[in-house]
């Protein structure tokens, strides 16, 4: 989200004076070096064509979301207090199986530090907390409200500051939530409601984020998170069996839809009036996994994306059938190809790919075998009340998504931007 958000702000919000970006420094990379990598990406191509000088509006702020005062220096704290008016909190660890202590430090404690900082900002107009639609995935019907998790915050914080717990202990703590990511994002929402309710705050809950429809460019994507690894495996022909129901709704939402909603929601924030926006397509514009697979298969042939022949996908809810078909259709061919590669002095990579696919599916299976109903009335009402001009510039109309072109551009974008196949271009 970060690159798409910064790019859109620079491209469409010309009145912005500066964008201060909190970036954690690494041993081998400074914050400035990490920011340069972001700016050098293809996401900023149209901004550079429009006016390359606007990139000077981006200011690096070294820090760490999990540290006290976000790890900011006294000088940077003063600048933010005096200069900033809108805060977009998009930082998170999105690793599903992250250690609980690390997920708590970033997703929960980091949110509390953001709220604490916002209280010291002189001209605060909005704080946007980007959460996830699956923060309350232990429920089937999810409204645009913050749910109570009945957690002793202080006790849990004290516990996880020094304890990660063994796997069974963590599972008991998570209850019906599938992983530490959704658990800590739910707690972060409750932190926002409890400690920031008098601030001008909105919570944005996107579902599974996929590539952009058109901004910053068609099919643009920069992360393997969510469904990207699965869809990439389908289109490459290395993945042919999915554990789950093809008739289930795949609640996908394009990146630029999410970014536009984030920006517009920031203009409507009011103190003591917390708004939640579910940014999901399952209610207003659903697409099933089976339909998505048909579009992916068509795009695979159209652009010759597959590494292995006969790209297709079989869905099954039977663990036995899944294990059997996966062995026949994926493991055996991968083993034989690797054997042939070794005999010919080439790298054997297919079995490694299969191991990665297995790890990905283990993390995603909860979302493949379940369905949810997300209320989205706040999101639809926000869009409907915009002017026609703003609707064109900041479109987040969920009903306007054309899934055939969207999914096609998604899989092409995976191969172009993530697999670095520079010879691929989207056919209009």
């Amino acid at each position: 989200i970060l690159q798409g958000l910064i790019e859109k702000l620079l491209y469409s919000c010309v009145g912005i004076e500066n964008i201060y970006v909190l970036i954690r420094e690494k041993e081998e990379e400074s914050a400035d070096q990490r920011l340069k990598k972001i700016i050098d990406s293809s996401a900023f191509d149209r901004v550079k064509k429009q006016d390359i000088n606007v990139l000077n509006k981006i200011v690096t702020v070294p820090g760490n979301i999990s540290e006290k005062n976000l790890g900011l220096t006294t000088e940077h704290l003063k600048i933010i207090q005096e200069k900033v008016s809108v805060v977009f909190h998009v930082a998170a660890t999105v690793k599903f199986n992250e250690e609980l202590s690390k997920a708590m430090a970033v997703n929960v404690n980091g949110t509390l530090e953001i709220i604490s900082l916002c209280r010291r900002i002189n001209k605060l107009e909005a704080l946007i907390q980007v959460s996830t639609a699956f923060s309350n995935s232990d429920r089937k019907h999810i409204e645009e409200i913050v749910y109570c998790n009945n957690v002793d915050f202080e006790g849990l914080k004290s516990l996880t500051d020094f304890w990660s717990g063994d796997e069974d202990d963590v599972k008991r703590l998570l209850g019906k939530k599938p992983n530490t990511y959704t658990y800590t994002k739910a707690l972060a929402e409750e932190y926002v409601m409890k400690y920031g309710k008098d601030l001008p705050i909105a919570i944005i809950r996107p579902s599974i984020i996929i590539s952009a429809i058109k901004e910053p460019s068609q099919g643009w994507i920069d992360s393997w998170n969510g469904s990207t690894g699965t869809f990439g495996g389908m289109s490459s022909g290395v993945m042919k069996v999915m554990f789950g129901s093809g008739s289930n709704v795949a609640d996908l939402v394009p990146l630029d839809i999410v970014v536009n909603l984030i920006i517009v929601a920031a203009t409507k924030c009011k103190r003591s009036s917390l708004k939640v926006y579910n940014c999901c397509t399952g209610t207003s514009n659903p697409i099933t996994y089976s339909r998505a697979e048909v579009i992916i298969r068509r795009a695979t042939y159209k652009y010759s994306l597959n590494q292995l022949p006969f790209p297709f996908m079989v869905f099954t809810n039977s663990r036995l059938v899944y294990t059997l078909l996966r062995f026949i259709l994926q493991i055996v061919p991968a083993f034989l190809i690797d054997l042939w590669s070794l005999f010919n002095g080439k790298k054997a990579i297919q079995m490694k790919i299969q191991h990665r696919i297995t790890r990905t599916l283990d993390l995603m299976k909860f979302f493949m075998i379940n369905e949810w109903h997300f209320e989205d009335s706040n999101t639809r009402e926000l869009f409907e009340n915009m002017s026609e001009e703003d609707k064109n510039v900041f479109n987040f109309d969920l009903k306007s998504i054309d899934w055939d072109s969207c999914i096609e551009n998604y899989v092409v974008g995976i191969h172009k931007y993530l697999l670095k196949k520079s010879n691929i271009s989207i056919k209009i």
Side-chain angles (χ1 to χ4, degrees):
I1 292 176
L2 179 63
Q3 291 187 55
L5 178 59
I6 295 173
E7 194 276 344
K8 180 63 175 180
L9 290 170
L10 290 175
Y11 188 79
S12 298
C13 305
V14 294
I16 289 177
E17 182 178 339
N18 287 116
I19 299 175
Y20 297 92
V21 185
L22 180 74
I23 299 181
R24 180 172 57 88
E25 294 191 316
K26 294 184 177 181
E27 288 185 9
E28 68 281 5
E29 274 187 315
S30 68
D32 284 330
Q33 288 172 327
R34 296 190 70 191
L35 179 64
K36 186 178 184 301
K37 278 188 176 180
I38 292 174
I39 295 174
D40 286 345
S41 83
S42 56
F44 292 87
D45 286 351
R46 67 170 185 167
V47 167
K48 293 170 185 175
K49 289 178 182 178
Q50 183 187 56
D51 180 7
I52 195 169
N53 293 318
V54 300
L55 295 176
N56 296 326
K57 292 183 177 184
I58 307 175
V59 180
T60 307
V61 180
N64 191 324
I65 190 72
S66 61
E67 292 182 3
K68 187 69 176 175
N69 291 324
L70 305 176
L72 298 173
T73 63
T74 303
E75 180 184 357
H76 281 129
L77 274 171
K78 185 178 179 182
I79 291 172
I80 290 171
Q81 289 169 351
E82 295 177 355
K83 299 287 188 180
V84 170
S85 58
V86 178
V87 176
F88 298 104
H89 179 25
V90 301
T93 173
V94 297
K95 187 178 177 182
F96 283 177
N97 57 350
E98 183 67 271
E99 288 183 15
L100 182 60
S101 58
K102 292 181 180 179
M104 283 289 296
V106 176
N107 295 346
V108 182
N109 300 342
T111 297
L112 188 57
E113 290 298 328
I114 290 286
I115 293 171
S116 177
L117 173 63
C118 286
R119 292 197 176 281
R120 289 175 278 173
I121 292 177
N122 299 330
K123 301 179 291 184
L124 183 69
E125 296 178 12
L127 164 58
I128 300 296
Q129 165 81 5
V130 178
S131 184
T132 170
F134 302 102
S135 57
N136 301 287
S137 53
D138 50 335
R139 300 170 179 270
K140 289 299 183 183
H141 184 89
I142 300 170
E143 300 177 76
E144 290 172 304
I145 60 174
V146 177
Y147 291 94
C148 179
N149 294 277
N150 298 314
V151 171
D152 175 7
F153 284 106
E154 295 307 317
L156 181 61
K157 183 180 183 303
S158 300
L159 180 65
T160 55
D161 278 347
F162 61 88
W163 172 85
S164 294
D166 62 33
E167 190 173 339
D168 290 336
D169 289 334
V170 171
K171 282 183 178 179
R172 281 193 291 270
L173 191 61
L174 299 186
K176 293 183 179 180
K177 289 188 169 62
N179 50 52
T180 56
Y181 171 66
T182 57
Y183 179 73
T184 53
K185 293 299 278 186
L187 295 185
E189 288 186 12
E190 200 168 349
Y191 253 51
V192 168
M193 182 178 69
K194 184 176 181 180
Y195 298 109
K197 59 184 177 182
D198 58 321
L199 297 174
I201 298 182
I203 296 175
I204 312 296
R205 289 186 186 141
S207 51
I208 302 172
I209 300 177
I210 63 172
S211 66
I213 296 175
K214 66 175 184 178
E215 295 181 301
S217 60
Q218 284 185 319
W220 187 85
I221 190 168
D222 73 329
S223 169
W224 284 102
N225 293 332
S227 61
T228 302
T230 303
F231 282 33
M234 288 185 195
S235 57
S236 296
V238 297
M239 182 177 167
K240 291 181 167 63
V241 190
M242 177 72 75
F243 183 66
S245 175
S247 62
N248 279 3
V249 171
D251 210 306
L252 312 173
V253 60
L255 171 68
D256 38 356
I257 293 284
V258 180
V259 166
N260 287 337
L261 172 58
I262 289 172
I263 294 172
V264 174
T267 69
K268 303 297 181 181
C269 285
K270 296 179 181 178
R271 290 186 179 272
S272 303
S273 181
L274 173 63
K275 277 279 192 179
V276 179
Y277 299 95
N278 286 340
C279 187
C280 314
T281 55
T283 301
S284 296
N285 190 1
I287 180 173
T288 64
Y289 283 103
S290 290
R291 184 184 168 199
E293 188 271 338
V294 171
I295 300 170
I296 292 169
R297 184 155 30 94
R298 188 169 62 226
T300 299
Y301 284 117
K302 180 177 179 180
Y303 294 90
S304 301
L305 301 175
N306 51 307
Q307 301 173 14
L308 302 183
F310 312 116
F312 63 86
M313 179 59 60
V314 176
F315 296 91
T316 177
N317 286 318
S318 168
R319 174 62 66 179
L320 177 62
V321 173
Y322 168 75
T323 303
L324 181 62
L325 289 180
R326 178 177 170 272
F327 180 76
I328 296 171
L329 298 176
Q330 292 179 200
I331 302 301
V332 171
F335 177 78
L336 293 175
I337 292 171
D338 278 353
L339 195 61
W340 177 260
S341 298
L342 289 172
F343 276 132
N344 287 276
K346 298 178 181 179
K347 284 186 178 181
I349 62 171
Q350 292 300 323
M351 286 301 294
K352 289 181 180 179
I353 291 174
Q354 290 302 321
H355 288 313
R356 286 200 294 267
I357 289 174
T358 299
R359 288 198 300 269
T360 299
L361 288 182
D362 283 343
L363 295 173
M364 290 294 296
K365 65 182 179 182
F366 176 83
F367 305 98
M368 286 292 301
I369 63 178
N370 290 291
E371 279 188 302
W372 296 266
H373 176 79
F374 299 102
E375 294 286 345
D376 63 358
S377 55
N378 285 349
T379 301
R380 286 186 284 108
E381 182 182 359
L382 182 63
F383 181 78
E384 289 163 3
N385 289 334
M386 291 166 61
S387 68
E388 290 304 315
E389 181 181 359
D390 284 344
K391 285 180 180 179
N392 289 328
V393 178
F394 300 100
N395 176 39
F396 57 90
D397 181 9
L398 303 170
K399 294 182 179 180
S400 69
I401 300 169
D402 176 1
W403 286 118
D404 287 287
S405 61
C406 183
I407 298 297
E408 178 176 310
N409 292 347
Y410 181 26
V411 292
V412 173
I414 291 171
H415 288 260
K416 180 178 181 179
Y417 296 108
L418 297 179
L419 296 175
K420 307 298 182 182
K421 296 182 180 178
S422 56
N423 61 323
I424 296 176
S425 59
I426 292 172
K427 300 172 185 176
I428 302 173

